[in-house]
Amino acid sequence: MQESNLIDQVKRGNTNAFRYIVANHQKLVAHIVSRIVLDRDEIQDVCQEVFIKVYQRINEFRGESRFSTWIASIAYHQCLNHLRKKRRLNEVNFEDDKTVDNLKTDTGPERIFENNETKRVLKSVIESLPLAYRTVITLFYLEEFSYVEIEQITGMPEGTIKSNLFRARAILKEKLMNSSLNRP
Amino acid sequence: MMDNKPEIDLENDRLLDRLLTEEPDYVLSDDFADNLIKKINIRQALRQDLMEFLTILSAILGIIVAFGGTYYFLNKENFMALKPFILNGYTPVVALFILFVFFMDKVLLRLLNQLKM
Protein backbone atom coordinates (compact mmCIF):
# COMPACT_ATOMS: atom_id res chain seq x y z
CA MET A 1 0.00 0.00 0.00
CA GLN A 2 1.22 3.49 -0.86
CA GLU A 3 2.27 5.80 1.96
CA SER A 4 -0.38 8.40 1.11
CA ASN A 5 -3.07 5.68 1.42
CA LEU A 6 -1.66 4.60 4.76
CA ILE A 7 -1.72 8.21 5.98
CA ASP A 8 -5.36 8.55 4.92
CA GLN A 9 -6.21 5.34 6.75
CA VAL A 10 -4.49 6.58 9.92
CA LYS A 11 -6.34 9.90 9.63
CA ARG A 12 -9.54 7.84 9.79
CA GLY A 13 -8.31 6.22 13.02
CA ASN A 14 -6.91 2.95 11.65
CA THR A 15 -4.17 1.94 14.10
CA ASN A 16 -3.20 -1.08 12.01
CA ALA A 17 -2.23 1.22 9.15
CA PHE A 18 -0.20 3.19 11.66
CA ARG A 19 1.71 0.00 12.51
CA TYR A 20 3.04 -0.01 8.93
CA ILE A 21 4.02 3.64 9.18
CA VAL A 22 5.89 2.91 12.42
CA ALA A 23 7.67 -0.05 10.85
CA ASN A 24 8.70 2.08 7.85
CA HIS A 25 10.03 5.00 9.88
CA GLN A 26 11.23 3.55 13.18
CA LYS A 27 14.83 3.38 11.96
CA LEU A 28 14.81 7.08 11.05
CA VAL A 29 13.35 8.06 14.43
CA ALA A 30 15.72 5.75 16.33
CA HIS A 31 18.74 7.26 14.53
CA ILE A 32 17.72 10.84 15.30
CA VAL A 33 16.72 10.15 18.89
CA SER A 34 19.77 8.01 19.68
CA ARG A 35 22.13 10.68 18.30
CA ILE A 36 20.46 13.52 20.22
CA VAL A 37 19.30 11.95 23.49
CA LEU A 38 22.33 9.62 23.89
CA ASP A 39 21.09 7.98 27.10
CA ARG A 40 20.21 4.45 25.96
CA ASP A 41 17.68 3.95 28.75
CA GLU A 42 15.62 6.88 27.49
CA ILE A 43 15.77 6.36 23.71
CA GLN A 44 12.90 3.85 23.48
CA ASP A 45 10.56 6.04 25.57
CA VAL A 46 11.35 9.14 23.51
CA CYS A 47 10.78 7.18 20.28
CA GLN A 48 7.39 6.08 21.60
CA GLU A 49 6.46 9.66 22.42
CA VAL A 50 7.54 10.73 18.92
CA PHE A 51 5.21 8.21 17.27
CA ILE A 52 2.35 9.02 19.63
CA LYS A 53 2.73 12.68 18.59
CA VAL A 54 2.85 11.64 14.93
CA TYR A 55 -0.42 9.74 15.43
CA GLN A 56 -2.11 12.59 17.31
CA ARG A 57 -1.01 15.24 14.82
CA ILE A 58 -1.31 13.31 11.57
CA ASN A 59 -4.30 15.44 10.53
CA GLU A 60 -1.93 18.43 10.43
CA PHE A 61 0.18 16.74 7.73
CA ARG A 62 -0.79 18.34 4.44
CA GLY A 63 1.83 16.76 2.21
CA GLU A 64 3.79 20.00 1.76
CA SER A 65 6.99 18.12 2.58
CA ARG A 66 8.00 14.48 2.49
CA PHE A 67 6.32 12.47 5.27
CA SER A 68 9.76 11.40 6.57
CA THR A 69 10.79 15.08 6.82
CA TRP A 70 7.65 15.80 8.86
CA ILE A 71 8.32 12.84 11.17
CA ALA A 72 11.98 13.82 11.53
CA SER A 73 10.89 17.32 12.54
CA ILE A 74 8.62 15.90 15.26
CA ALA A 75 11.43 13.62 16.44
CA TYR A 76 13.92 16.51 16.58
CA HIS A 77 11.60 18.77 18.57
CA GLN A 78 10.54 15.96 20.90
CA CYS A 79 14.22 15.30 21.67
CA LEU A 80 14.81 18.99 22.41
CA ASN A 81 11.78 19.05 24.72
CA HIS A 82 13.02 15.94 26.44
CA LEU A 83 16.48 17.40 26.96
CA ARG A 84 15.04 20.72 28.09
CA LYS A 85 12.93 18.91 30.63
CA LYS A 86 16.03 17.24 31.95
CA ARG A 87 17.95 20.52 31.81
CA ARG A 88 20.73 18.82 29.95
CA LEU A 89 20.76 20.89 26.78
CA ASN A 90 24.28 22.22 27.33
CA GLU A 91 25.74 19.37 29.26
CA VAL A 92 28.08 18.20 26.49
CA ASN A 93 30.42 20.27 24.43
CA PHE A 94 33.41 19.27 22.43
CA GLU A 95 35.90 21.38 24.40
CA ASP A 96 35.80 19.01 27.34
CA ASP A 97 36.02 15.98 25.12
CA LYS A 98 37.57 13.37 27.38
CA THR A 99 36.60 10.37 25.32
CA VAL A 100 39.43 10.41 22.83
CA ASP A 101 42.08 11.24 25.41
CA ASN A 102 40.93 8.39 27.60
CA LEU A 103 40.98 5.95 24.76
CA LYS A 104 44.44 7.07 23.69
CA THR A 105 45.86 6.29 27.10
CA ASP A 106 43.86 3.10 27.37
CA THR A 107 44.80 1.54 24.09
CA GLY A 108 47.73 3.28 22.45
CA PRO A 109 47.74 5.01 19.05
CA GLU A 110 48.44 1.93 16.99
CA ARG A 111 45.42 0.11 18.45
CA ILE A 112 43.22 3.17 17.89
CA PHE A 113 43.79 2.91 14.17
CA GLU A 114 42.57 -0.64 13.96
CA ASN A 115 39.24 -0.57 12.20
CA ASN A 116 36.76 -1.39 14.96
CA GLU A 117 38.61 0.66 17.50
CA THR A 118 38.62 3.67 15.17
CA LYS A 119 34.90 3.33 14.64
CA ARG A 120 34.32 3.14 18.36
CA VAL A 121 36.53 6.16 19.03
CA LEU A 122 34.90 8.26 16.33
CA LYS A 123 31.43 7.27 17.43
CA SER A 124 32.37 8.51 20.87
CA VAL A 125 33.68 11.71 19.32
CA ILE A 126 30.40 12.16 17.41
CA GLU A 127 28.50 11.72 20.67
CA SER A 128 30.68 14.34 22.32
CA LEU A 129 29.97 16.93 19.59
CA PRO A 130 27.55 19.77 20.40
CA LEU A 131 23.91 18.94 19.82
CA ALA A 132 23.53 21.10 16.70
CA TYR A 133 26.52 19.39 15.02
CA ARG A 134 25.29 15.90 15.94
CA THR A 135 21.89 16.73 14.54
CA VAL A 136 23.05 18.03 11.17
CA ILE A 137 25.58 15.27 10.53
CA THR A 138 22.92 12.66 11.33
CA LEU A 139 20.32 14.24 9.07
CA PHE A 140 22.73 15.00 6.23
CA TYR A 141 25.07 12.00 6.08
CA LEU A 142 23.02 9.24 7.65
CA GLU A 143 19.48 10.07 6.53
CA GLU A 144 20.54 11.94 3.37
CA PHE A 145 18.18 14.89 3.85
CA SER A 146 18.88 17.96 1.72
CA TYR A 147 19.82 21.36 3.20
CA VAL A 148 16.25 22.57 2.57
CA GLU A 149 14.80 19.55 4.35
CA ILE A 150 17.17 19.96 7.31
CA GLU A 151 16.03 23.58 7.47
CA GLN A 152 12.41 22.39 7.58
CA ILE A 153 13.22 19.85 10.28
CA THR A 154 15.37 21.95 12.60
CA GLY A 155 14.46 25.52 11.71
CA MET A 156 18.18 26.35 11.33
CA PRO A 157 19.02 28.67 8.40
CA GLU A 158 20.78 26.99 5.49
CA GLY A 159 24.01 28.89 6.15
CA THR A 160 24.09 27.65 9.75
CA ILE A 161 23.48 24.09 8.60
CA LYS A 162 26.38 24.28 6.15
CA SER A 163 28.75 25.80 8.68
CA ASN A 164 27.72 23.26 11.34
CA LEU A 165 28.38 20.44 8.90
CA PHE A 166 31.75 21.91 7.97
CA ARG A 167 32.79 22.42 11.60
CA ALA A 168 31.59 19.00 12.73
CA ARG A 169 33.50 17.36 9.92
CA ALA A 170 36.59 19.43 10.67
CA ILE A 171 36.53 18.39 14.33
CA LEU A 172 36.13 14.72 13.47
CA LYS A 173 38.85 14.90 10.86
CA GLU A 174 41.20 16.60 13.28
CA LYS A 175 40.68 13.81 15.81
CA LEU A 176 41.41 11.28 13.09
CA MET A 177 44.50 13.16 11.90
CA ASN A 178 45.86 13.36 15.44
CA SER A 179 45.41 9.64 15.83
CA SER A 180 47.02 8.81 12.51
CA LEU A 181 49.97 11.21 12.90
CA ASN A 182 50.69 9.70 16.30
CA ARG A 183 51.16 6.34 14.73
CA PRO A 184 54.72 5.01 14.96
CA MET B 1 56.05 11.58 8.01
CA MET B 2 55.43 14.72 5.92
CA ASP B 3 55.37 12.63 2.72
CA ASN B 4 52.65 10.45 4.16
CA LYS B 5 50.41 13.34 5.12
CA PRO B 6 48.28 13.67 1.94
CA GLU B 7 47.84 9.92 1.86
CA ILE B 8 46.77 9.87 5.50
CA ASP B 9 44.48 12.84 4.80
CA LEU B 10 42.76 10.97 1.99
CA GLU B 11 42.51 7.84 4.09
CA ASN B 12 40.93 9.87 6.90
CA ASP B 13 38.43 11.45 4.50
CA ARG B 14 37.39 8.03 3.26
CA LEU B 15 37.16 6.67 6.78
CA LEU B 16 35.16 9.68 7.91
CA ASP B 17 32.69 9.34 5.03
CA ARG B 18 32.22 5.68 5.87
CA LEU B 19 31.78 6.38 9.54
CA LEU B 20 29.32 9.21 9.06
CA THR B 21 27.05 7.04 6.93
CA GLU B 22 27.25 4.11 9.30
CA GLU B 23 24.11 3.42 11.30
CA PRO B 24 24.24 3.92 15.06
CA ASP B 25 24.30 0.60 16.90
CA TYR B 26 21.07 1.36 18.77
CA VAL B 27 18.15 -0.75 17.55
CA LEU B 28 14.57 -0.55 18.80
CA SER B 29 13.12 -3.77 20.20
CA ASP B 30 11.25 -6.13 17.83
CA ASP B 31 7.95 -5.55 19.62
CA PHE B 32 8.32 -1.75 19.54
CA ALA B 33 5.46 -1.21 17.06
CA ASP B 34 3.15 -3.64 18.91
CA ASN B 35 3.77 -1.97 22.27
CA LEU B 36 3.28 1.43 20.71
CA ILE B 37 -0.05 0.53 19.10
CA LYS B 38 -1.17 -0.98 22.42
CA LYS B 39 -0.27 2.26 24.20
CA ILE B 40 -2.09 4.35 21.59
CA ASN B 41 -5.19 2.15 21.87
CA ILE B 42 -5.15 2.45 25.67
CA ARG B 43 -4.84 6.25 25.50
CA GLN B 44 -7.62 6.46 22.91
CA ALA B 45 -9.93 4.22 24.93
CA LEU B 46 -9.20 6.18 28.10
CA ARG B 47 -9.96 9.47 26.37
CA GLN B 48 -13.17 8.05 24.92
CA ASP B 49 -14.28 6.62 28.31
CA LEU B 50 -13.51 9.91 30.04
CA MET B 51 -15.51 11.82 27.45
CA GLU B 52 -18.40 9.39 27.83
CA PHE B 53 -18.26 9.74 31.63
CA LEU B 54 -18.16 13.54 31.47
CA THR B 55 -21.02 13.64 28.94
CA ILE B 56 -23.27 11.44 31.07
CA LEU B 57 -22.27 13.33 34.22
CA SER B 58 -23.02 16.71 32.68
CA ALA B 59 -26.37 15.36 31.37
CA ILE B 60 -27.32 14.16 34.87
CA LEU B 61 -26.21 17.45 36.44
CA GLY B 62 -28.12 19.35 33.74
CA ILE B 63 -31.32 17.44 34.49
CA ILE B 64 -30.90 18.00 38.26
CA VAL B 65 -30.28 21.73 37.77
CA ALA B 66 -33.25 22.03 35.38
CA PHE B 67 -35.61 20.24 37.78
CA GLY B 68 -34.20 22.13 40.78
CA GLY B 69 -34.52 25.45 38.99
CA THR B 70 -38.11 24.77 37.90
CA TYR B 71 -39.07 23.60 41.39
CA TYR B 72 -37.38 26.69 42.90
CA PHE B 73 -39.40 29.09 40.73
CA LEU B 74 -42.66 27.21 41.22
CA ASN B 75 -42.37 26.56 44.94
CA LYS B 76 -39.73 28.76 46.53
CA GLU B 77 -40.73 28.07 50.17
CA ASN B 78 -40.67 24.28 49.90
CA PHE B 79 -37.38 24.43 48.01
CA MET B 80 -35.71 26.27 50.92
CA ALA B 81 -37.08 23.57 53.22
CA LEU B 82 -35.17 20.96 51.18
CA LYS B 83 -31.85 22.75 51.72
CA PRO B 84 -30.95 21.07 55.06
CA PHE B 85 -31.78 17.65 53.58
CA ILE B 86 -29.47 18.26 50.62
CA LEU B 87 -26.54 19.72 52.53
CA ASN B 88 -26.69 17.80 55.78
CA GLY B 89 -26.74 14.12 56.62
CA TYR B 90 -25.86 11.40 54.18
CA THR B 91 -27.01 12.98 50.92
CA PRO B 92 -23.62 14.45 49.82
CA VAL B 93 -21.82 11.25 50.88
CA VAL B 94 -24.25 9.05 48.96
CA ALA B 95 -24.03 11.33 45.93
CA LEU B 96 -20.22 11.20 45.99
CA PHE B 97 -20.29 7.41 46.41
CA ILE B 98 -22.60 7.00 43.42
CA LEU B 99 -20.34 9.30 41.42
CA PHE B 100 -17.26 7.26 42.39
CA VAL B 101 -18.90 3.94 41.46
CA PHE B 102 -20.01 5.44 38.18
CA PHE B 103 -16.46 6.66 37.50
CA MET B 104 -14.99 3.24 38.42
CA ASP B 105 -17.41 1.51 36.08
CA LYS B 106 -17.06 3.86 33.13
CA VAL B 107 -13.35 4.70 33.27
CA LEU B 108 -11.11 2.87 35.74
CA LEU B 109 -12.33 -0.71 35.27
CA ARG B 110 -12.21 -0.35 31.49
CA LEU B 111 -8.69 1.04 31.73
CA LEU B 112 -7.59 -1.88 33.94
CA ASN B 113 -9.10 -4.34 31.45
CA GLN B 114 -7.23 -2.65 28.59
CA LEU B 115 -3.96 -2.83 30.55
CA LYS B 116 -4.47 -6.56 31.22
CA MET B 117 -4.99 -7.35 27.51
Side-chain angles (χ1 to χ4, degrees), chain A residues 73 76-77 135-136 139 149-157 161:
Chain A
S73 169
Y76 172 70
H77 289 100
T135 306
V136 291
L139 295 174
E149 286 173 320
I150 297 174
E151 193 176 346
Q152 287 171 344
I153 292 166
T154 61
M156 292 178 201
I161 294 164

Side-chain angles (χ1 to χ4, degrees), chain A residues 114-139:
Chain A
E114 280 171 20
N115 214 3
N116 285 334
E117 195 61 19
T118 311
K119 277 184 197 168
R120 199 166 73 83
V121 172
L122 277 175
K123 275 182 181 173
S124 305
V125 178
I126 288 176
E127 288 181 2
S128 70
L129 287 173
L131 193 148
Y133 294 6
R134 290 201 309 266
T135 306
V136 291
I137 58 168
T138 305
L139 295 174

Side-chain angles (χ1 to χ4, degrees), chain A residues 52-112:
Chain A
I52 288 172
K53 275 226 166 105
V54 169
Y55 185 78
Q56 287 170 342
R57 293 170 53 184
I58 200 153
N59 282 318
E60 294 169 24
F61 179 70
R62 304 261 175 262
E64 287 150 0
S65 61
R66 275 200 295 159
F67 191 53
S68 55
T69 310
W70 187 72
I71 291 180
S73 169
I74 291 177
Y76 172 70
H77 289 100
Q78 184 66 32
C79 289
L80 292 193
N81 286 342
H82 176 80
L83 292 180
R84 253 183 231 123
K85 265 188 208 160
K86 297 200 82 182
R87 297 183 185 176
R88 294 191 319 197
L89 203 54
N90 296 315
E91 75 166 356
V92 190
N93 68 60
F94 67 91
E95 263 108 22
D96 62 302
D97 170 19
K98 293 162 194 150
T99 325
V100 171
D101 294 340
N102 287 345
L103 283 163
K104 270 181 193 166
T105 51
D106 285 350
T107 57
E110 70 283 353
R111 285 267 299 130
I112 283 176

Side-chain angles (χ1 to χ4, degrees), chain A residues 28 66 136-147 149-150, chain B residues 21:
Chain A
L28 163 74
R66 275 200 295 159
V136 291
I137 58 168
T138 305
L139 295 174
F140 187 79
Y141 289 106
L142 195 59
E143 302 305 329
E144 296 179 336
F145 284 115
S146 67
Y147 295 127
E149 286 173 320
I150 297 174
Chain B
T21 51

